[in-house]
Amino acid sequence: MNAVLDSETLNVLRKDPLQAALTTSALTDFYIAKQFPDNKALITSVDFDITGTHCITTSRDESLRIYDCASGTREQVSYSKKYGCNLAQFTAQPGCVAYASTKINDTVRYLSYETNQFIRYFAGHTGMVTSLQRSPNAQSTSMVSASMDGTVRLWNLDTVKPVCTVNIEGGKNGVAAAYDPSGMVVAVAAESQAIQLYDVRKMTKGPFTSAPIASKLTVAGLKFMPPTGDYILLAMSDGSIMLLDAFQLTTLAVLSSATHNAISPTIAPVASALGQMQQQCFGQKITATPDGRAVIAGNDNGGIVFWDFDTVLANSGSKQPPAVHAPNGTWNGSHDGPVGVCAFNPLLMECVTGSQSLTLWTSIY
């Protein structure tokens, strides 16, 4: 393909999906605008900067790659061969990212990708980091991490010591954490035991509400549904998605497709909670549109599916067991292997997905 995107595609990408709602028709017509066959192993995370113009990926080939999402070009690649890399996040500091180590230790590393030098190290976790997210507040220097050591930690990027450390009951069997859109609440899921909500200003005082998770599956990762965070998406170890009411913490629905539940022939079944979370890339396979109109997920067969959120809600409720919803559609195109990551651009009409290659999707609407 061409080195840059054509002018028509660029004009589409510059649309603001918060002003032009992503209808079911628009989602159905998403197509592949650009592919990058850059990696030699599965892409394990993707994150956008606050402008939506750049994204960063990590991969099991231990590379960090930065792409210009508006022009469709790769800008930079660096490697973390000694420590490995995962869950990279842009920070409020321009030119800087934080990412989790996957080898030697479980330190979170703060890197200037402009100089390729480390700024500082956030040490303390004694198990693999399973969640890492910067605060959604654009000017904030805070981030949250969770680990297989059973703890959740709040950090300030300006100091090496955690702001606070919270021991999560049942967390040594797998724990995931995420900010709500306001940045004032952190949700924590401990394996398959409970979902808990914490006020970031007083996390050490315990959750202000919690509820059991109505599943025996391991929670691989979690996300709040944009734009208001009224719902929570739990990425489960079998590839399905549990939809929770963020206030009552009740399960409203399960989003699932046959190909979600089928284990890829290239990925061997695993028994440990960590192995199950890694197989689902710590919940990185799922995303939502910025206007909250749809949930999008990657499949092990290389396809991308979506659910119309209004349709899901209209056919869901407090009835137990919750209704299981098949996808409302599949995008026109696919990867050549299992999809490890999906992320919808917060500002542009664009979704980025990754297997061993990175794909930029957009719509003609």
Side-chain angles (χ1 to χ4, degrees):
M1 301 183 73
N2 295 333
V4 296
L5 303 181
D6 57 68
S7 59
E8 181 181 355
T9 300
L10 285 174
N11 287 333
V12 172
L13 291 178
R14 294 188 180 109
K15 291 181 179 178
D16 185 349
L18 296 178
Q19 296 179 6
L22 283 160
T23 63
T24 302
S25 296
L27 283 167
T28 302
D29 288 320
F30 261 67
Y31 64 91
I32 295 174
K34 187 72 181 286
Q35 283 187 312
F36 299 90
D38 295 339
N39 295 94
K40 297 180 179 179
L42 183 71
I43 296 170
T44 54
S45 74
V46 62
D47 181 55
F48 291 99
D49 67 5
I50 58 175
T51 68
T53 57
H54 290 85
C55 72
I56 184 170
T57 66
T58 59
S59 168
R60 289 177 184 166
D61 64 13
E62 299 170 341
S63 68
L64 298 100
R65 301 175 190 269
I66 295 176
Y67 297 85
D68 186 315
C69 299
S71 65
T73 56
R74 184 184 67 248
E75 287 198 346
Q76 190 170 339
V77 58
S78 58
Y79 289 89
S80 183
K81 292 292 186 181
K82 183 175 181 180
Y83 300 105
C85 55
N86 196 15
L87 303 173
Q89 294 276 296
F90 284 104
T91 68
Q93 181 65 34
C96 298
V97 296
Y99 69 88
S101 307
T102 58
K103 298 191 303 185
I104 299 183
N105 57 40
D106 305 296
T107 297
V108 174
R109 301 178 184 279
Y110 189 23
L111 173 74
S112 167
Y113 60 80
E114 294 179 342
T115 63
N116 202 33
Q117 294 182 327
F118 289 112
I119 300 170
R120 58 183 57 92
Y121 309 98
F122 303 104
H125 281 304
T126 57
M128 181 170 285
V129 175
T130 54
S131 298
L132 184 66
Q133 185 187 1
R134 71 176 182 276
S135 169
N137 295 325
Q139 304 304 316
S140 175
T141 57
S142 298
M143 64 179 178
V144 65
S145 63
S147 164
M148 290 302 295
D149 63 11
T151 68
V152 171
R153 298 170 189 250
L154 283 182
W155 306 87
N156 185 311
L157 292 171
D158 296 327
T159 180
V160 296
K161 292 185 178 180
V163 175
C164 69
T165 300
V166 180
N167 291 293
I168 306 300
E169 184 177 355
K172 291 187 181 297
N173 292 319
V175 59
Y179 282 107
D180 82 329
S182 74
M184 299 304 297
V185 173
V186 168
V188 176
E191 197 200 20
S192 60
Q193 296 187 19
I195 179 81
Q196 305 170 343
L197 299 184
Y198 291 82
D199 185 326
V200 296
R201 297 164 296 184
K202 41 189 175 183
M203 285 191 66
T204 55
K205 294 185 178 181
F208 61 82
T209 187
S210 64
I213 298 172
S215 174
K216 295 182 179 180
L217 298 169
T218 296
V219 178
L222 62 90
K223 299 178 187 294
F224 278 88
M225 192 75 182
T228 57
D230 291 347
Y231 303 94
I232 299 173
L233 303 173
L234 301 183
M236 308 306 290
S237 55
D238 68 342
S240 63
I241 305 166
M242 291 182 65
L243 172 64
L244 274 60
D245 181 300
F247 299 97
Q248 302 298 323
L249 299 183
T250 52
T251 303
L252 302 177
V254 174
L255 313 182
S256 183
S257 67
T259 48
H260 264 101
N261 298 325
I263 294 176
S264 166
T266 63
I267 303 177
V270 289
S272 71
L274 175 59
Q276 292 176 54
M277 295 176 78
Q278 287 177 310
Q279 188 166 288
Q280 297 301 326
C281 292
F282 300 119
Q284 296 286 306
K285 292 186 177 186
I286 68 172
T287 189
T289 56
D291 59 2
R293 293 288 299 276
V295 176
I296 301 163
N299 279 336
D300 288 337
N301 67 359
I304 307 297
V305 298
F306 69 89
W307 290 263
D308 181 274
F309 199 61
D310 288 340
T311 300
V312 170
L313 289 180
N315 294 281
S316 302
S318 58
K319 182 180 178 181
Q320 299 297 321
V324 178
H325 297 263
N328 293 105
T330 302
W331 284 356
N332 184 26
S334 66
H335 287 267
D336 55 4
V339 177
V341 299
C342 290
F344 208 100
N345 194 304
L347 294 176
L348 305 178
M349 183 80 83
E350 175 190 62
C351 188
V352 170
T353 62
S355 55
Q356 193 165 306
S357 60
L358 189 74
T359 299
L360 276 60
W361 302 77
T362 190
S363 174
I364 60 175
Y365 284 79

